[in-house]
Amino acid sequence: MSSNFPLNHPQLCNLASDFPTPFYLYDEQAIRDNMKRFTKAFSIFPVFREYFAVKACPNPYILKILAEEGCGADCSSLPELMLADMAEIKGNHVMFTSNETPAAEYKFAAGLKNIINLDDITHIEFLKNALGGELPETICFRYNPGNLKQGCNNIIGKPEEAKYGLTREQILEAYKICKAEGVKHFGLHTMVASNELNPDFFVDTAKLLFELCAEIKEKCGVRIEFVDLGGGIGIPYKPDQKAINYDEVAKGIRAEYDRVVVPAGLDPLEIYWECGRPITGPYGWLITKAIHEKHIYREYIAVDSCMADLMRPGMYGAYHEVTVSGKENAPRDHVYDVVGSLCENCDKFAVQRQLPKIDMGDYVIIHDAGAHGRAMGFNYNGKLRCGEVLMRPDGTFKEIRRKETVDDLFATLDLDGVKDFK
């Protein structure tokens, strides 16, 4: 568990009386403090910016907090671009990372002067046509290193099996094409990790990109002005895991910068990240309540949330620490599967987990849920997704997303027409 829950038991009971479970809780001050640590670590580069991965926590209140701490936004869809704009993240502080993108979304991003990060060499012509025959002044390309990048974990998988990015040969050709088309500013991007806790992995990724920048300059006559290292920095979901040391990663990357970038005449080279999980993940919790118990071949505790609110454990077998409010110091002398009400047997927040005795009405806290939590919710079984609450630095609370209602779920249905349907 990578952070302590900020409320004691009476405080949580009071909060749940105003915002009935289930709901997500975020700690604004902890997010701000963490972002300051992240920025300070990478300030050893001439120019640094974190482009927060909007997909991790797509709420404009969270985005505004991060924008105030100097963050940009990494977006991959029209609604994400719109959320960034609502949060006053503008222009080249938005990276639009293309992934089989419709033409209308390219036009929207270009209209906002966002950086467009292309995912394939064929997208050059597609983008040009979408924009009426002219490319933007700035273009970035996503590089897929294939088997040149080893040690990737199984969340993203092997680069050569991924649908993303250009090969090395395509990258070189793509920059030549764009230079001939009059593009003036160039970036290079890759994303080859997810929830990785080995700091050396990120240093090796930077080395790979820096060396490619030098090759692009030599073979294409193109100076790369910024490198986006992607994301993938993990968080210690399990109690025995160690958090990534931002300073250690930054210093390792800086050594490669001095070894490769400076001699190649590419200094100053702007360094970007597009992390999501390490920025908000440890500072969000899913709050739910025990409502049923079941005693068959195993002992089960059922809560009023389900996989529709947090799908990572069911989808990936991911571990999230679970605690019981008011029983933090009680003996963990019971073994439970903690489950939800979805009609899927994988709807389990914890499997054979040692926990204190859980009584009906106890508040169950699922930790490290501030990224890829509410964002990955869904409506299977007609489940209504929970809301989100922000704890402000002054100790007050604000609902930043209300719970879904049945009316929300039925909003796209023609309920009047169905009555006359034969």
Side-chain angles (χ1 to χ4, degrees):
M1 183 172 60
S2 50
S3 65
N4 293 320
F5 187 64
L7 302 181
N8 61 33
H9 182 61
Q11 288 171 329
L12 179 57
C13 291
N14 288 336
L15 179 62
S17 68
D18 293 330
F19 303 101
T21 57
F23 60 87
Y24 274 88
L25 176 67
Y26 304 100
D27 185 340
E28 177 181 339
Q29 189 61 57
I31 291 171
R32 287 185 183 276
D33 292 344
N34 179 51
M35 194 57 238
K36 286 181 172 69
R37 290 192 298 271
F38 193 86
T39 301
K40 182 180 178 182
F42 291 96
S43 65
I44 60 175
F45 294 97
V47 177
F48 166 73
R49 180 171 296 116
E50 153 70 353
Y51 286 78
F52 178 70
V54 175
K55 65 185 178 184
C57 194
N59 189 300
Y61 287 86
I62 300 296
L63 297 181
K64 287 194 78 169
I65 290 166
L66 292 171
E68 289 175 5
E69 299 300 332
C71 276
D74 175 74
C75 302
S76 57
S77 70
L78 177 61
E80 289 185 356
L81 290 169
M82 295 171 71
L83 285 171
D85 193 54
M86 290 175 202
E88 300 297 321
I89 305 175
K90 305 287 187 179
N92 64 4
H93 283 213
V94 175
M95 182 81 64
F96 184 45
T97 299
S98 161
N99 177 22
E100 314 307 340
T101 302
E105 297 191 12
Y106 277 136
K107 290 176 69 176
F108 189 86
L112 294 177
K113 305 295 184 184
N114 301 150
I115 299 171
I116 294 178
N117 181 23
L118 294 178
D119 190 56
D120 191 73
I121 194 168
T122 63
H123 295 179
I124 300 172
E125 190 66 21
F126 187 91
L127 175 62
K128 182 180 174 181
N129 291 337
L131 302 184
E134 190 171 328
L135 291 171
E137 287 191 354
T138 301
I139 287 287
C140 185
F141 286 104
R142 180 171 182 164
Y143 174 49
N144 183 328
N147 60 14
L148 295 177
K149 181 62 179 172
Q150 300 295 316
C152 301
N153 60 36
N154 61 8
I155 297 178
I156 284 187
K158 297 177 181 179
E160 62 267 34
E161 296 176 1
K163 68 174 183 174
Y164 306 109
L166 289 74
T167 67
R168 177 180 161 278
E169 293 76 15
Q170 289 173 334
I171 279 278
L172 296 172
E173 181 63 21
Y175 285 112
K176 291 176 183 176
I177 292 170
C178 287
K179 181 183 178 184
E181 289 283 349
V183 175
K184 297 178 180 178
H185 307 287
F186 296 92
L188 177 64
H189 164 273
T190 198
M191 176 73 179
V192 289
S194 182
N195 197 32
E196 178 58 59
L197 289 172
N198 178 5
D200 293 338
F201 185 94
F202 303 103
V203 177
D204 181 67
T205 299
K207 172 180 178 289
L208 194 75
L209 290 182
F210 293 161
E211 290 175 347
L212 182 55
C213 287
E215 185 178 4
I216 290 166
K217 180 183 177 186
E218 178 186 348
K219 294 184 176 178
C220 307
V222 166
R223 184 187 184 281
I224 301 298
E225 297 179 15
F226 63 87
V227 161
D228 185 335
L229 298 170
I233 293 178
I235 61 174
Y237 287 101
K238 297 181 179 179
D240 61 348
Q241 291 178 323
K242 181 181 177 182
I244 284 276
N245 184 312
Y246 300 151
D247 292 309
E248 180 184 350
V249 173
K251 289 174 182 176
I253 294 174
R254 179 72 213 208
E256 290 299 328
Y257 184 100
D258 292 339
R259 186 185 70 84
V260 178
V261 173
V262 175
L266 293 169
D267 182 44
L269 178 65
E270 299 184 9
I271 302 299
Y272 302 158
W273 281 103
E274 59 179 59
C275 292
R277 191 188 317 267
I279 306 302
T280 58
Y283 312 110
W285 300 264
L286 175 57
I287 314 301
T288 185
K289 184 167 63 176
I291 59 172
H292 290 290
E293 56 186 318
K294 188 179 179 75
H295 314 281
I296 49 173
Y297 305 106
R298 291 183 175 184
E299 296 294 298
Y300 292 92
I301 293 293
V303 295
D304 60 2
S305 186
C306 71
M307 186 180 170
D309 291 318
L310 178 63
M311 70 186 299
R312 295 187 71 255
M315 183 177 184
Y316 301 122
Y319 182 99
H320 283 261
E321 183 74 352
V322 173
T323 58
V324 184
S325 183
K327 298 181 178 180
E328 291 83 0
N329 298 318
R332 292 193 168 210
D333 53 4
H334 286 63
V335 177
Y336 296 114
D337 282 13
V338 180
V339 303
S341 58
L342 202 72
C343 292
E344 293 289 341
N345 197 45
C346 60
D347 181 21
K348 298 183 177 183
F349 294 117
V351 176
Q352 293 295 277
R353 190 76 60 86
Q354 287 191 283
L355 294 166
K357 182 179 184 300
I358 299 178
D359 298 301
M360 298 304 94
D362 279 350
Y363 292 114
V364 176
I365 304 163
I366 302 172
H367 292 251
D368 299 304
H372 309 289
R374 176 58 172 76
M376 296 177 73
F378 57 92
N379 291 122
Y380 180 62
N381 263 180
K383 295 298 181 181
L384 304 175
R385 291 172 289 186
C386 68
E388 297 172 301
V389 176
L390 181 68
M391 186 174 78
R392 306 303 306 276
D394 63 1
T396 60
F397 298 91
K398 180 171 180 57
E399 186 176 48
I400 59 173
R401 189 194 302 269
R402 64 166 174 78
K403 299 174 185 292
E404 288 184 333
T405 67
V406 172
D407 287 342
D408 295 328
L409 187 66
F410 291 168
T412 56
L413 295 172
D414 181 5
L415 297 180
D416 291 326
V418 75
K419 296 174 185 176
D420 302 320
F421 180 74
K422 295 180 180 180

